[in-house]
Amino acid sequence: RTAAVEAESGERQCKSREIPRIGFIALSSVAAAMWSSRPAAASVDSERQLRSIPHAPMSTHVLRLLPGDDLVRELSAFVKSRGMAAACVLSCVGSTAKTTLRPAGADVPRVFEEGTFEIVSLVGTLGVDGHHLHLSVGDKDCLVRGGHAMEGCVIHTTAEIVLGEIQGIEFHRRQDERTGYKELFITNRGEWW
């Protein structure tokens, strides 16, 4: 089938499931690219923990944090309390009164307390064994700081967060000998695949 026919077919499927067309087309393009570049059968076993099943459904969760809440602690607690095994940050806007970031390549976090910061971006994954979140904040002069978000990112006014929960998989953080860090490993719900 041609790409145009597949896109048209996908649009019909999206309409019947009430999924936005752009989401289906983007997801199918990403999945097609991912699976067309899969390694040869002999190396698939070693790569299985690095990929997701194609077209994994996602549900969304929306929460708002209040002044004084710790961004990282509250997100982790929210995911754990709902038994979310694989989540990602889709959107976040708000502000921090105190921001604790670990810069790239540094062992010691930096704490910024000299004013209010606008949350410019929050991205990352949360799962069974922990999280990996990066935060960028801008100050009153529009200077941006960013790094690995740590506990100690305290909300100033609000944080409006949209999380995506990916169904059918689990995110695990395990030591990866290739990098020397705890990295993301992806499993089918309840078993390695």
Side-chain angles (χ1 to χ4, degrees):
R1 297 168 71 178
T2 67
V5 171
E6 288 180 14
E8 183 181 312
S9 173
E11 287 179 14
R12 274 189 258 124
Q13 287 177 350
C14 290
K15 288 176 185 174
S16 67
R17 292 188 206 161
E18 297 183 18
I19 299 171
R21 280 181 273 171
I22 189 74
F24 177 82
I25 293 169
L27 177 62
S28 64
S29 298
V30 169
M34 180 178 80
W35 288 100
S36 66
S37 64
R38 287 182 67 178
S43 63
V44 169
D45 286 340
S46 65
E47 299 296 321
R48 285 186 177 182
Q49 300 164 3
L50 305 179
R51 299 175 188 212
S52 169
I53 56 175
H55 305 287
M58 181 186 295
S59 58
T60 55
H61 301 264
V62 179
L63 66 148
R64 179 178 168 222
L65 302 183
L66 300 173
D69 285 345
D70 185 289
L71 176 66
V72 173
R73 194 176 306 136
E74 292 296 326
L75 272 177
S76 295
F78 183 85
V79 167
K80 186 176 183 176
S81 71
R82 283 161 179 76
M84 297 166 66
C88 61
V89 179
L90 300 176
S91 177
C92 177
V93 295
S95 62
T96 59
K98 173 184 168 189
T99 306
T100 305
L101 303 170
R102 191 188 74 226
D107 293 329
V108 178
R110 292 189 59 192
V111 179
F112 301 95
E113 297 186 76
E114 67 268 12
T116 301
F117 297 94
E118 288 292 321
I119 296 173
V120 176
S121 70
L122 176 66
V123 296
T125 56
L126 302 104
V128 175
D129 303 323
H131 61 271
H132 188 181
L133 299 169
H134 286 194
L135 174 68
S136 296
V137 294
D139 66 14
K140 64 182 174 57
D141 297 318
C142 295
L143 298 175
V144 176
R145 295 174 170 92
H148 187 86
M150 309 289 291
E151 287 190 12
C153 294
V154 179
I155 301 304
H156 176 65
T157 56
T158 191
E160 302 162 6
I161 304 166
V162 181
L163 294 177
E165 179 181 10
I166 306 165
Q167 306 297 320
I169 62 173
E170 293 180 356
F171 288 162
H172 294 275
R173 297 241 154 244
R174 298 213 168 89
Q175 195 69 23
D176 189 328
E177 294 174 8
R178 295 166 288 200
T179 66
Y181 295 99
K182 284 190 171 184
E183 302 285 8
L184 178 68
F185 287 86
I186 305 162
T187 65
N188 229 1
R189 193 54 89 104
E191 61 185 57
W192 293 99
W193 48 279

